[in-house]
């Protein structure tokens, strides 16, 4: 890791002003991805602008949505009474991320900004049609995830909060990589007034995606058996050391069935 400057501004505006002082500066959230990549010299920075002082860690709930501040840690989402009562699938997702240290440091904003193709939160954001709020604008889930480790965020743009509409029912199940707990395949199913949405993480070459084959089957008949005849093509799925594309295609169906079993 190279020598660098560190600052912890006390507001979002101050953080933006601070980061503009250097083209090599980066925002720091939980540091769970950024610090190891800096240490391994896979990434570089001459200044870290820590968002911990910017008052972005909070959870609030209304009858129709849950709003989670970007610096809210995974452990706080997992144990939030508001999330547990209004959207328990999201609390479960957060509680299944990594290990204790990752959950005690990692944040929802850091996870979404990083957009790891095997991260859990992107599937919930996409299936629930959440909105990513930044210091500049509101971005729909559909527009936010651009590709592997790529998002619609502009340079220096800060995610400030994420707004999740509350569905009728939802469930998230992943097949975790036994070493890291990242999703080899994770499936988030949301049953909403306007239909069923199914988002898959861990499997796609370009990151999270909606699975229209399973969505169509469940919109015709919302039961586990309706998935039996769905064919998931391995085309476009990750063929990496941990699992082949066809294995992941099979896992998508299997995780979807397990998620449905929890909902029905
Ligand atoms: C061993 C291990 C296991 C893991 N397992 C899982 C898992 O099972 N499931 C899962 O989903 N994730 C997993 N993760 C990822 C982890 O949950 C973190 O979410 C992730 O590392 C990034 O969050 P962070 O808060 O640490 O962000 P950081 O590492 O601090 O930042 C990541 C990137 O996001 C940028 N950034 C951070 N916050 C903001 C913001 N508010 N606005 C704009 N840009 C921002 C930073 O500049 C940086 O580029 C794992 C990580 C590790 C190390």
């Amino acid at each position: 890791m190279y020598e660098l400057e560190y600052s912890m501004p006390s507001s979002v505006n101050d953080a933006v002003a601070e980061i503009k002082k250097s083209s090599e500066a980066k925002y720091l959230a939980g540091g769970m991805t950024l610090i190891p990549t800096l240490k391994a010299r896979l990434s570089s920075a001459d200044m870290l602008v820590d968002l911990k002082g910017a008052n972005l860690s909070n959870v609030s709930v209304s009858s129709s949505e849950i709003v989670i501040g970007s610096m809210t840690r995974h452990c706080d989402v997992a144990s939030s009474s508001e999330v547990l009562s209004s959207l328990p699938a999201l609390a479960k997702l957060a509680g299944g991320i990594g290990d204790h240290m990752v959950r005690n440091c990692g944040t929802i904003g850091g996870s979404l900004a990083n957009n790891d193709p095997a991260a859990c939160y992107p599937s919930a954001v996409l299936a629930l049609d959440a909105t990513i709020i930044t210091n500049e604008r509101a971005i729909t889930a559909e527009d936010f995830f651009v590709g592997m480790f790529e998002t619609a965020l502009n340079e220096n743009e800060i995610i400030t909060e994420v707004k999740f509409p509350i569905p009728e029912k939802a469930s998230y199940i992943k097949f975790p990589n036994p070493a890291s707990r990242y999703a080899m395949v994770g499936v988030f199913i949301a049953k909403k007034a306007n239909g069923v949405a199914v988002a898959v993480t861990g499997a796609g070459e370009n990151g999270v995606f909606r699975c229209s084959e399973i969505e169509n089957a469940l919109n015709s008949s919302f039961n586990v058996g309706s998935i039996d005849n769905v064919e998931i093509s391995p085309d476009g799925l990750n063929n990496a050391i941990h699992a082949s594309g066809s294995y992941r295609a099979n896992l998508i169906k299997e995780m979807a069935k397990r998620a449905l079993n929890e909902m029905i």
Side-chain angles (χ1 to χ4, degrees), residues 5 42 182:
E5 302 281 316
L42 296 169
Y182 272 107

Side-chain angles (χ1 to χ4, degrees), residues 18 34 71 96 104-105:
E18 196 67 15
L34 184 55
M71 286 296 288
N104 284 339
C105 296

Side-chain angles (χ1 to χ4, degrees), residues 27-34 51 70 74 96-98 102 105-107 109-111 113-114 119-121 153 157-159 174 180-182:
Y27 293 123
L28 174 69
M32 288 292 95
T33 295
L34 184 55
L51 297 175
S70 62
H74 308 323
I97 290 177
V102 171
C105 296
T107 66
S111 174
N114 196 46
C120 301
Y121 271 122
L153 289 173
E157 191 170 7
I158 298 180
I159 301 174
K174 71 174 167 181
S180 68
R181 318 299 294 166
Y182 272 107

Side-chain angles (χ1 to χ4, degrees), residues 64-83:
S64 59
E65 67 178 10
I66 295 182
V67 182
I68 301 181
S70 62
M71 286 296 288
T72 310
R73 300 173 305 161
H74 308 323
C75 62
D76 295 324
V77 174
S79 63
S80 155
S81 55
E82 289 96 339
V83 182

Side-chain angles (χ1 to χ4, degrees), residues 5-153:
E5 302 281 316
Y6 170 86
S7 74
M8 191 166 72
S10 54
S11 72
V12 169
N13 285 346
D14 288 352
V16 175
E18 196 67 15
I19 208 159
K20 285 184 175 165
K21 289 180 182 169
S22 165
S23 60
E24 287 287 301
K26 286 194 165 59
Y27 293 123
L28 174 69
M32 288 292 95
T33 295
L34 184 55
I35 299 295
T37 53
L38 288 174
K39 278 182 169 173
R41 302 195 172 194
L42 296 169
S43 145
S44 64
D46 61 4
M47 184 199 284
L48 292 183
V49 179
D50 195 338
L51 297 175
K52 273 188 204 70
N55 199 19
L56 293 170
S57 175
N58 42 56
V59 176
S60 64
V61 66
S62 69
S63 57
S64 59
E65 67 178 10
I66 295 182
V67 182
I68 301 181
S70 62
M71 286 296 288
T72 310
R73 300 173 305 161
H74 308 323
C75 62
D76 295 324
V77 174
S79 63
S80 155
S81 55
E82 289 96 339
V83 182
L84 281 164
S85 61
S86 308
L87 189 42
L90 194 68
K92 183 184 162 199
L93 176 153
I97 290 177
D99 52 29
H100 282 289
M101 182 174 162
V102 171
R103 292 194 291 277
N104 284 339
C105 296
T107 66
I108 186 169
S111 174
L112 295 176
N114 196 46
N115 192 19
D116 189 300
C120 301
Y121 271 122
S123 64
V125 166
L126 195 59
L128 292 166
D129 266 330
T131 305
I132 317 291
I133 309 295
T134 77
N135 59 319
E136 297 177 11
R137 59 199 164 130
I139 312 174
T140 62
E142 202 184 343
D143 290 340
F144 184 79
F145 301 108
V146 172
M148 193 179 275
F149 295 108
E150 267 186 76
T151 69
L153 289 173

